[in-house]
Amino acid sequence: LTVRIDVHRKENAGAAEKSITILSTPEGTSAACKSILEIMHKEAQDIKFTEEIPLKILAHNNFVGRLIGKEGRNLKKIEQDTDTKITISPLQELTLYNPERTITVKGNVETCAKAEEEIMKKIRESYENDIASMNLQAHLIPGLNLNALGLFPPTSGMPPPTSGPPSTMTPPYPQFEQSETETVHLFIPALSVG
C-alpha cells in the first residue's frame, strides 16, 4: 500500500495551520489520516498543549451540500454514528480562488478517524455521481470536453475527469454563415437545476 503525503509549507507560509494532501486508496488515506492525528495528539501532550485538536478536511463546495443532506440529516447521522461534533465553514467564506469549505471534526483520535471515513465516503460518492453524469452528457453532446468545463478544479483534492473527447478535437459548431439558426447548450450544475 503506497501513501504519498505532501505538506504545503510554501503556500501557507506564516499561517498558523498548514494543509496536508494525502494521496492513496480510500483505506490508505484513512489510515494515514489516523496516524497523523495520533502524532498531533502525542505532540500536544509532550508540549503540554491543552487546546482541543480538531481534524479539518477541505472539500470542494460542489460536494458539501450532499454531505450535509436535506435539513442536515446526513451530517447529523455521521455525528451520531461516530460520536463527534462536525461543523462546516460558511458559504460567505468562499472566493473565486478558493472554492473549498472547511469541515471541522471534534472528538478523540478514534472518533475523528471514523468520521473522516464516513465524510470522505459521502464526498467520493458525490464526485463519482457527478463524473457519471458528465460522461452521460459527453455521449449525448458531441464535442463536449469535460476538462474545459472546469467543474472539478485541482484544489478539490480529486483528479479532474479524464474521459470525453480530447481537447484537440474540433467540436461540430454550426456554420453560421450558411444558417440562420443557432443551437446553444447550457450546462447547469445538477444541484442548481431545481
Side-chain angles (χ1 to χ4, degrees):
L1 183 69
T2 58
V3 178
R4 178 180 156 185
I5 300 173
D6 294 330
V7 181
H8 303 289
R9 288 191 183 90
K10 290 178 183 174
E11 299 94 320
N12 300 279
E17 296 178 324
K18 306 278 190 278
S19 59
I20 297 172
T21 301
I22 304 170
L23 297 168
S24 184
T25 61
E27 296 77 21
T29 301
S30 293
C33 183
K34 187 177 180 184
S35 296
I36 290 167
L37 276 171
E38 286 169 347
I39 291 166
M40 289 199 304
H41 278 260
K42 185 180 185 307
E43 179 74 8
Q45 285 177 344
D46 292 347
I47 64 168
K48 309 286 191 288
F49 185 82
T50 54
E51 289 178 37
E52 188 173 17
I53 300 172
L55 166 64
K56 293 186 178 182
I57 301 168
L58 291 175
H60 195 284
N61 186 51
N62 282 0
F63 312 122
V64 172
R66 284 167 283 181
L67 169 67
I68 296 170
K70 191 174 182 182
E71 297 174 353
R73 285 177 201 153
N74 292 346
L75 207 58
K76 282 175 193 164
K77 185 174 188 321
I78 294 173
E79 282 183 317
Q80 288 165 0
D81 290 351
T82 62
D83 194 24
T84 55
K85 177 65 183 159
I86 304 171
T87 54
I88 297 177
S89 60
L91 276 167
Q92 290 87 331
E93 290 181 14
L94 292 178
T95 66
L96 187 64
Y97 304 103
N98 180 26
E100 291 179 316
R101 292 171 73 180
T102 305
I103 302 162
T104 302
V105 185
K106 292 184 177 180
N108 59 38
V109 171
E110 294 294 329
T111 58
C112 282
K114 183 65 183 161
E116 181 273 337
E117 285 181 35
E118 296 304 315
I119 288 165
M120 289 311 298
K121 196 185 295 178
K122 196 75 192 163
I123 290 174
R124 220 173 274 119
E125 185 184 291
S126 298
Y127 174 75
E128 285 164 3
N129 287 343
D130 285 359
I131 291 295
S133 175
M134 289 295 144
N135 283 336
L136 180 63
Q137 290 188 35
H139 291 303
L140 296 175
I141 303 164
L144 173 63
N145 179 2
L146 297 182
N147 291 327
L149 291 177
L151 296 179
F152 304 98
T155 54
S156 66
M158 298 180 179
T162 53
S163 50
S167 55
T168 51
M169 284 180 68
T170 308
Y173 296 123
Q175 300 298 313
F176 296 121
E177 48 289 345
Q178 297 171 6
S179 170
E180 292 179 13
T181 61
E182 179 179 338
T183 303
V184 178
H185 295 293
L186 296 180
F187 296 95
I188 300 166
L191 293 175
S192 304
V193 170

